[in-house]
Amino acid sequence: MSPPLCSTFNGEIEIDGENLYTLDLPVKRSYYSNNPIWDSAGNSTLILPFRDETIRDNKRVKRTIGIPIFLGNFINPSSPNSFNFLNNSMNSVPKLHLRDHIRTYQRYLAAEAVEETTEDMNNSEGGKNEDHEDGCADGMRLVQLLIACAEAVACRDKSHASILLSELKANALVFGSSFQRVASCFVQGLIERLTLIQPVGHDGVMQPMMNIMDASSEEMEEAFRLVYEICPHIQFGHFVANATVLEAFEGESFIHVVDLGMTLGLPRGHQWRGLIHSLAHRAGPRVHRLRITAVGLCNDKFQTIGDELSFFANNLGLNLEFSVVQKNLENLKPEDIKVREEEALVVNSILQLHCVVKESRGALNSVLQMIHGLSPKVLVMVEQDSSHNGPFFLGRFMESLHYYSAIFDSLDVMLPKYDTKRAKMEQFYFAEEIKNIVSCEGPLRMERHERVDQWRRRMSRAGFQAAPIKMVSQAKQWLVKNKVCEGYTVVEEKGCLVLGWKSKPIVAVSCWKC
């Protein structure tokens, strides 16, 4: 009797010795008569597909194909049943011209109209099943190509990687399915990593940066503004952080906030407008002075934000003093932060501290010890909750593929298929994060996201103690009030609040005391 096609898997997956994530999914074994998928031992591999989900855009409910994730070694080059790939060299693989894709928006709108008309005419269940199976097969094929290409790049096999990239570029579409779109970003990262496989010369020299937004283009800044407005990730962090800061400032009249990175230079200082408004209208002692110190390299941008915040605060009757410390975190000294004896101090970090995590622990420990020396009432931290800083490239690749697939899946729900806002966010912001994770090493790699448990160990070594955040119900009410699309969840994990997409963690907010 042949083995069953589906069984249940519930456990932890490890690649290159790294614990990636825990899955509780149906396991589908692959039995292809002509083209089996082999591992290094000649055994057929396991395919772990995500569940098919129904997602909604602003027009109607649509059914889309779930993203299949392959694990293991996917191609045995010596096998006679391996895929036949195009025999192209790396020189024949031009870089993607993303602006050209976005500028052809009208063509895609026309294509969408034709597609929707075809879908309306195809009412037979058999046709739907056939489309579903074709979509699964295409998705599986694309994942297999991605992982095989990552393996080739990890082995510095430029010839084989170039062949795989040729086929990947033909199938990873900027305006395709959610997985085709996320694959297009990973293809960019793999191409860049392949070109960086050479002795470090002048290309290895790096200008001082605190985060990837310090060298951002106009397109990237616009994409980041769209991410803030459309995705709930950063706004959720601001909401929870401000609630925690307000609690720490209860009863205080002289208040000082040290903001690390000023939310990557996001214009208008959105987070602190909310805090200023709350402080101006709170019950209890009047705030006699509010000080905000921004730390980062974007001096002109931060000063513009400070001028706007000062005007906003004055209109509400608050005295705001704004200052900028133009340094990156690694060079920051305690004397750079002017702390006054009568002040209650809070340190705020939104998507910043992961950029200080290096191969050695010294850089982050130095920053955390410096912050600890300031004796803040609390340190509030918002970070991406995923393991993108493992020692092995393939492990990071798999984890980041899983993480960003969830984000791109959420964008399918929030925006129509051919919306240029989504393309801008994906290709000019999230793609930059992906490329940094995939293509860069050493000091060039700043997107070193880690999980809550790892941060807990790091903070404990630096002398911080966790201060549990007890506001799950308020956070869930915030999701409803702000009409965050269905699919986003909030859970408490060992005192931290984690915002996730269909149980996949996206960002975590934590609070720490000295």
Side-chain angles (χ1 to χ4, degrees), residues 12 19 27 50 100 122 128 132 141 160 213 263 511 514:
E12 294 183 342
N19 181 6
V27 175
F50 285 104
D100 294 337
N122 183 15
K128 292 181 181 179
H132 178 81
R141 169 73 165 178
H160 187 48
M213 292 300 293
T263 314
C511 182
C514 296

Side-chain angles (χ1 to χ4, degrees), residues 56 68 109 126 129 158 258 304 380 412 508 512:
R56 294 185 297 278
L109 284 178
N129 290 336
K158 286 189 175 183
V258 175
T304 300
V380 184
D412 263 351
W512 308 89

Side-chain angles (χ1 to χ4, degrees), residues 6 59 141 143 210 244 283 297 333 340 371 408 436 499:
C6 292
K59 296 180 180 180
R141 169 73 165 178
V143 178
M210 187 164 156
T244 305
L297 301 177
K333 305 297 182 185
R340 299 170 186 171
I371 294 173
F408 279 49
N436 191 264
L499 177 72

Side-chain angles (χ1 to χ4, degrees), residues 12 19 381 385 451-457 459 464-472 490-499 505 508-512:
E12 294 183 342
N19 181 6
M381 183 171 67
D385 188 19
R451 293 195 183 282
V452 168
D453 286 341
Q454 182 65 19
W455 278 111
R456 187 174 288 106
R457 289 189 287 269
M459 300 300 289
F464 287 92
Q465 296 179 342
I469 301 175
K470 304 287 188 181
M471 52 178 297
V472 175
V490 177
V491 297
E492 181 181 345
E493 183 178 335
K494 298 180 180 178
C496 304
L497 283 191
V498 180
L499 177 72
V509 188
S510 56
C511 182
W512 308 89

Side-chain angles (χ1 to χ4, degrees), residues 435-454:
K435 287 190 290 184
N436 191 264
I437 295 169
V438 172
S439 66
C440 297
E441 294 294 350
L444 293 172
R445 180 157 60 88
M446 292 177 287
E447 296 303 308
R448 295 172 176 266
H449 313 145
E450 294 188 328
R451 293 195 183 282
V452 168
D453 286 341
Q454 182 65 19

Side-chain angles (χ1 to χ4, degrees), residues 330-366:
E330 294 177 64
N331 297 327
L332 194 63
K333 305 297 182 185
E335 54 267 25
D336 295 325
I337 309 295
K338 303 297 187 291
V339 179
R340 299 170 186 171
E341 186 174 346
E342 73 277 10
E343 291 177 336
L345 176 67
V346 163
V347 178
N348 181 78
S349 175
I350 309 291
L351 310 181
Q352 284 295 321
L353 286 175
H354 70 264
C355 299
V356 195
V357 178
K358 306 296 181 184
E359 278 79 2
S360 63
R361 299 175 182 171
L364 180 63
N365 279 347
S366 177

